[in-house]
Amino acid sequence: MTRAPGPCELPVGTKRRDYEICSVLGGGQTSLVYQAYDTMLNRYVAVKEYLPVAFAVRDDRLQLTVLPGKQEAFESGLRRFVAEARIMTAFDHCALRRSYQFFQEAGSAYIVMPYYPGKTLRAAVYEGWRIGNISDLFMITLPLLEGLSTIHQANYCHCGVSPDNILIQNNSEPILLDFGAIQRPGEFFGERPVSALAPGFAALEQYGIDRNVCIGAWTDVYAISAVIYHAVTGIVPEPATARVVRDTLRPLAGFTVADLPVRLLEAIDQGLSVAPQVRFASIEAFANALDQSVQAAMATPNRPTGAAVSDILSVAATVSSYSPRIRRLLQLTSALRDRIRQRGAG
């Protein structure tokens, strides 16, 4: 996906090192992402540029100039940008975007990354796509859960999971695009402005309202649960700051989704709880709840049949291509495959 260029963006044809700008893919308050052509290796890449529009402007020579009195804020953001580049190099997972190169030039900084053709999850939902069965659910969530587990094992929390930050590649595999909000567990969400959060997907503790509640794996559990809610219903959950005052969000289990077990929807609702202590404390606990809910559904007389069984077998085959970080879900697919075949034989 591309969008029309704006006044702050590098013109098409501009070169930074070996990379020639082709189009704008997206951006926010502190950065822009371009599609660029690597003239050295003859391939397309994504290039993320540090561009805090509140602290700097681009001059006629396409150099970034810091505004008066904004040097400290500019440098603070730059340090976070550099930290993001370093963190990206530490992870090797199919659902996490990698970094090829980092460099500074023309008063700014750049992260060179793989270019993934596809569309964001938000765009897919806007166009009418929905999670309607177990296959859809696991095709989207399993790689992301594994990716988040990888981040948590490295003692980080992503803190930025949202439909805008998830790309559905042309091969249907999801990937997390951005690490700009990543933090250590146990920290408070103090450095990032509230305006930078994704309403509906940011947990209550990210707003810094209660200084007794810190960031943790449960923060990412909230976000991924909100993403699933959005992908099932097409509805963006109400912001956590509104829900803590008066929670009018309709539970996911209150929707009729024929091919998704109610216990599965209830587990997602628990992950979407406003109070951190009610949520699952880890991605593994959340995955375990999804596992148990589907196994319980398979044990009932009204187990999935026909297309639903085919969906589960398809997921079982697909899962083998991912690293076994969430063993309960990997065990689930194997157990379901054996159980379905045994019942089919009987």
Side-chain angles (χ1 to χ4, degrees):
M1 292 181 64
T2 62
R3 63 181 178 85
C8 295
E9 295 154 6
L10 290 172
V12 172
T14 303
K15 286 195 70 174
R16 290 290 186 257
R17 295 282 175 96
D18 296 322
Y19 309 102
E20 182 175 325
I21 301 300
C22 300
S23 63
V24 180
L25 297 175
Q29 296 178 339
T30 61
S31 64
L32 288 175
V33 180
Y34 306 92
Q35 183 190 34
Y37 188 71
D38 185 340
T39 58
M40 180 66 69
L41 298 178
N42 297 322
R43 63 181 179 181
Y44 285 101
V45 296
V47 176
K48 183 174 183 178
E49 178 187 33
Y50 177 57
L51 183 62
V53 293
F55 308 140
V57 294
R58 206 187 303 278
D59 63 23
D60 294 339
R61 297 174 299 130
L62 301 182
Q63 298 279 323
L64 210 57
T65 302
V66 181
L67 294 171
K70 301 296 184 179
Q71 188 68 39
E72 183 177 348
F74 179 89
E75 291 180 356
S76 175
L78 180 59
R79 286 193 295 271
R80 291 196 297 272
F81 190 83
V82 173
E84 177 186 358
R86 289 173 177 165
I87 289 169
M88 290 177 70
T89 63
F91 300 127
D92 183 16
H93 189 276
C94 57
L96 303 178
R97 188 171 219 164
R98 296 178 293 117
S99 169
Y100 287 149
Q101 184 182 12
F102 170 81
F103 62 91
Q104 293 183 257
E105 186 175 305
S108 187
Y110 299 85
I111 303 173
V112 183
M113 307 167 290
Y115 170 68
Y116 303 103
K119 64 179 64 176
T120 65
L121 181 59
R122 183 180 292 279
V125 172
Y126 179 79
E127 293 171 4
W129 181 84
R130 298 288 185 274
I131 287 177
N133 53 53
I134 293 173
S135 177
D136 290 341
L137 177 66
F138 279 3
M139 281 292 291
I140 295 298
T141 59
L142 181 56
L144 296 176
L145 290 175
E146 287 190 340
L148 289 171
S149 178
T150 299
I151 293 172
H152 296 171
Q153 289 180 18
N155 199 31
Y156 287 102
C157 296
H158 188 277
C159 297
V161 179
S162 74
D164 283 322
N165 203 13
I166 297 170
L167 185 81
I168 308 300
Q169 301 177 71
N170 289 344
N171 63 3
S172 298
E173 294 183 3
I175 190 163
L176 274 171
L177 294 178
D178 193 89
F179 289 81
I182 202 164
Q183 284 194 235
R184 293 287 190 183
E187 293 181 349
F188 295 97
F189 213 82
E191 288 191 18
R192 208 163 177 241
V194 170
S195 60
L197 300 177
F201 304 96
L204 185 65
E205 59 269 23
Q206 293 180 259
Y207 290 88
I209 296 174
D210 186 351
R211 298 295 294 178
N212 293 316
V213 181
C214 59
I215 299 297
W218 48 87
T219 306
D220 289 338
V221 168
Y222 184 94
I224 194 66
S225 299
V227 164
I228 298 171
Y229 187 101
H230 177 60
V232 171
T233 66
I235 299 169
V236 175
E238 299 169 359
T241 48
R243 294 182 62 204
V244 74
V245 177
R246 183 170 178 265
D247 193 354
T248 60
L249 183 67
R250 180 181 176 184
L252 191 57
F255 291 85
T256 301
V257 187
D259 289 330
L260 291 177
V262 173
R263 281 188 59 179
L264 185 74
L265 302 180
E266 290 173 344
I268 297 164
D269 283 331
Q270 183 177 343
L272 194 49
S273 298
V274 176
Q277 63 271 22
V278 179
R279 296 176 223 146
F280 301 99
S282 68
I283 287 293
E284 288 74 17
F286 183 45
N288 184 48
L290 300 180
D291 174 338
Q292 292 179 348
S293 64
V294 177
Q295 290 205 48
M298 290 302 300
T300 63
N302 297 322
R303 65 182 178 86
T305 58
V309 170
S310 175
D311 284 343
I312 294 173
L313 289 174
S314 174
V315 171
T318 304
V319 165
S320 62
S321 67
Y322 297 110
S323 57
R325 293 189 178 277
I326 303 180
R327 299 189 181 281
R328 293 289 294 173
L329 281 180
L330 295 175
Q331 292 169 3
L332 160 73
T333 56
S334 176
L336 287 180
R337 180 175 62 245
D338 293 344
R339 191 177 304 162
I340 292 168
R341 288 173 176 168
Q342 289 171 5
R343 289 181 176 177

